Amino acid sequence: MPSSQHSNFTEFMEGVEKRNPGQTEFIQAVREVSQDIFDYIEDKPEYHEAQIMRRIAEPDRVVSFRVCWEDDDHNIRVERGWRVQNNNAIGPYKGGIRFHSSVTESVLKFLAFEQTFKNSLTGLPLGGGKGGSNFNPRGKSDSEIMRFCQSFMTELYRHIGPDIDVPAGDIGVGGREIGYMFGQYKRITGRWEGVLTGKAVEYGGSEMRPEATGYGAIYFLRCMLAHQDNDIEGKTAVISGAGNVATHAAEMMTQLGGKVLTLSDSDGFVHDPDGIDQEKIDWVKRLKNERGGRISEYADEFSNATFHEGERPWNVECDVALPCATENELNEDEAKALVDNGCIAVVEGANMPTTLDGIKVFKDADILYAPGKAANAGGVAVSGLEMSQNAERISWNKEKLGDMLTELMQDIHSKCAEHGDVGDGKVDYVKGANIAGFKKVADAMLAFGVV
Ligand code: GLU
């Protein structure tokens, strides 16, 4: 970075830190994107003069509300809910809802900021937002989940709409929760409209939406490897997580001839040297979706598999690593372990799973590294296609959507390769994704003037 840009960037980050005290995740996400952007806009004064980066890093609004609900023992419980509407320059706010005890305003602001760039990269008209609650769904009965979702939507409904803001799922919010929230929105407003995505196909959901994030990440890996005349066949993969993203990434990895060695949850990871094949993946899906079980049970079910309590899987030798659980789940030491063990590619199914120090390790080692905003964009892309289907009142079949997803991921890869080209056929995917994502949003904002 030239010195004038460096001081611009330093000053900008000081301002971000001052205005967002203690919001470490948000500051981390802004830093990761902005260092590339300040380099890119060095000779583009129009972006500086219009303060574009300063504007994108200030959410349009953050709505916070009380969510009051009654548990099965008739205790009154109070949680906090949020919707962060980061930027709607190129389309209605779009992004998931997360229910997890770790949710804070900082976490949702980082996710909404990232989502703005990710959604821009998809090429679809989608702005960036995110929402959620610190409500912990673990161990809650079905009726408790329903009452919480209804209460959450009773506040949220006034802030969303098919042309305003279209939420979807994320950690702790799947098809069941979307159903309860959609039902409540419809009950309050009296309108059936495409206000949420990730719906079941019976009431306006899209085929391929559950598979899209995990499959898309593997399609992106395939593009990265193909760019280096390599492929997935015979590669071993270490995957973290055991939810929707991880299980579908495992599924597509296996279908394309790879071998998946691990899955994990917050208690630890399972290592299966025989490979986690389709039958075992289906077992994990049932374990998590139907029984709410823990991944440790996998080691009791399948011989040769071992459970590693309290550990993450990054020390297991592999060709590719797919962090598909949550933010900051892969640190500097773990990144070094992956590189030392010969890992050639890291593809993020989760949002910001690698720490800034960890990313530096991958960059210095010159291995393939795909940030979440590019690699996991398949999920929100199919959400965008769900919105199109709802608006047209039609449903496309699985085959068509599968083809569209493959093409979308190829397009995202091409955009990264174009803007992240660092010579010798090499691509800086972080830089490519940041610049390509930024450009579309920034140019739209320039067109609007000072708003
Ligand atoms: N929560 C997902 C993400 O992080 C999907 C969002 C959506 O479909 O709107 O991109």
Side-chain angles (χ1 to χ4, degrees):
M1 199 181 269
S3 65
S4 62
Q5 274 323 100
H6 194 269
S7 56
N8 269 339
F9 172 67
T10 310
E11 220 173 276
F12 167 78
M13 280 313 303
E14 278 168 8
V16 171
E17 284 178 18
K18 200 167 156 205
R19 285 187 297 278
N20 302 282
Q23 300 198 337
T24 50
E25 296 86 1
F26 178 64
I27 294 165
Q28 177 186 345
V30 174
R31 182 178 292 280
E32 189 257 0
V33 170
S34 308
Q35 45 201 21
D36 285 328
I37 302 306
F38 274 82
D39 277 346
Y40 172 69
I41 63 177
E42 190 200 354
D43 55 354
K44 300 175 183 64
E46 64 276 22
Y47 294 128
H48 287 290
E49 281 154 22
Q51 297 280 339
I52 295 293
M53 210 43 233
R54 170 89 164 73
R55 283 152 70 180
I56 298 181
E58 189 67 43
D60 288 356
R61 65 195 62 79
V62 179
V63 185
S64 145
F65 45 89
R66 184 182 67 240
V67 186
C68 194
W69 61 287
E70 192 177 336
D71 69 21
D72 287 344
D73 299 323
H74 305 293
N75 299 304
I76 304 300
R77 311 278 287 258
V78 184
E79 328 285 346
R80 187 170 298 169
W82 289 270
R83 186 71 184 166
V84 179
Q85 297 180 330
N86 195 70
N87 188 293
N88 67 351
I90 62 168
Y93 304 107
K94 180 84 197 88
I97 291 175
R98 179 178 291 192
F99 291 162
H100 193 267
S101 50
S102 66
V103 166
T104 60
E105 192 173 307
S106 167
V107 167
L108 296 177
K109 276 172 69 179
F110 115 65
L111 288 163
F113 177 81
E114 282 282 298
Q115 197 84 42
T116 302
F117 293 83
K118 183 194 320 196
N119 292 3
S120 164
L121 267 178
T122 64
L124 302 172
L126 304 169
K130 204 87 184 190
S133 172
N134 59 327
F135 170 70
N136 178 7
R138 179 126 46 125
K140 301 291 187 298
S141 71
D142 192 57
S143 39
E144 288 177 325
I145 297 284
M146 182 183 76
R147 288 195 293 277
F148 178 79
C149 288
Q150 291 177 336
S151 194
F152 185 86
M153 183 53 84
T154 300
E155 272 303 319
L156 184 67
Y157 89 95
R158 69 191 74 239
H159 306 292
I160 62 176
D163 296 316
I164 302 169
D165 184 351
V166 183
D170 195 80
I171 294 171
V173 177
R176 174 181 62 164
E177 290 75 15
I178 292 292
Y180 291 146
M181 286 193 273
F182 189 80
Q184 182 73 350
Y185 179 89
K186 195 166 65 59
R187 176 159 74 160
I188 295 170
T189 63
R191 288 195 298 267
W192 193 110
E193 52 192 11
V195 69
L196 297 176
T197 63
K199 306 184 288 298
V201 283
E202 291 77 15
Y203 64 95
S206 177
E207 293 284 1
M208 285 302 285
R209 180 62 191 88
E211 295 88 349
T213 314
Y215 281 16
I218 300 300
Y219 295 155
F220 197 86
L221 168 66
R222 182 168 61 178
C223 292
M224 290 168 96
L225 291 172
H227 200 71
Q228 297 202 331
D229 295 322
N230 203 342
D231 61 29
I232 288 177
E233 182 69 45
K235 300 279 185 302
T236 53
V238 158
I239 299 182
S240 65
N244 185 47
V245 183
T247 51
H248 287 109
E251 195 166 288
M252 187 45 67
M253 187 73 197
T254 310
Q255 280 176 28
L256 295 179
K259 183 176 178 182
V260 177
L261 300 177
T262 67
L263 287 172
S264 72
D265 62 18
S266 53
D267 293 345
F269 77 91
V270 282
H271 180 199
D272 186 344
D274 297 337
I276 304 176
D277 61 17
Q278 188 63 53
E279 203 184 309
K280 294 171 178 174
I281 295 167
D282 289 341
W283 185 89
V284 174
K285 284 186 186 173
R286 285 195 300 275
L287 171 83
K288 287 290 172 186
N289 300 340
E290 288 163 28
R291 292 202 279 122
R294 307 306 297 164
I295 201 68
S296 55
E297 295 172 42
Y298 182 102
D300 304 326
E301 185 74 15
F302 302 106
S303 54
N304 290 336
T306 48
F307 176 63
H308 303 259
E309 195 177 346
E311 286 180 46
R312 299 193 284 219
W314 315 122
N315 285 300
V316 174
E317 200 176 315
C318 62
D319 297 315
V320 302
L322 287 131
C324 295
T326 193
E327 64 270 8
N328 292 328
E329 55 158 322
L330 203 170
N331 64 25
E332 184 180 11
D333 288 341
E334 291 162 325
K336 281 185 188 148
L338 282 169
V339 171
D340 290 345
N341 282 332
C343 175
I344 59 164
V346 179
V347 175
E348 295 184 340
N351 292 314
M352 206 171 75
T354 312
T355 62
L356 289 172
D357 293 341
I359 296 175
K360 189 168 181 312
V361 171
F362 297 144
K363 283 194 170 180
D364 290 348
D366 212 8
I367 67 166
L368 295 172
Y369 166 66
K373 66 173 80 66
N376 71 38
V380 74
V382 174
S383 274
L385 301 178
E386 182 171 333
M387 289 164 69
S388 306
Q389 293 170 81
N390 290 167
E392 280 193 70
R393 308 221 184 279
I394 50 166
S395 312
W396 297 323
N397 64 29
K398 204 164 188 158
E399 200 183 13
K400 181 175 166 88
L401 282 151
D403 290 346
M404 289 170 99
L405 173 63
T406 312
E407 218 170 283
L408 272 155
M409 296 314 294
Q410 282 164 353
D411 276 359
I412 295 173
H413 183 272
S414 303
K415 284 181 198 151
C416 291
E418 182 193 334
H419 291 280
D421 181 6
V422 286
D424 291 338
K426 287 188 183 152
V427 179
D428 178 339
Y429 285 93
V430 178
K431 182 177 164 201
N434 284 340
I435 294 174
F438 169 81
K439 199 174 172 324
K440 186 177 175 194
V441 176
D443 290 343
M445 290 171 77
L446 282 181
F448 302 148
V450 183
V451 286

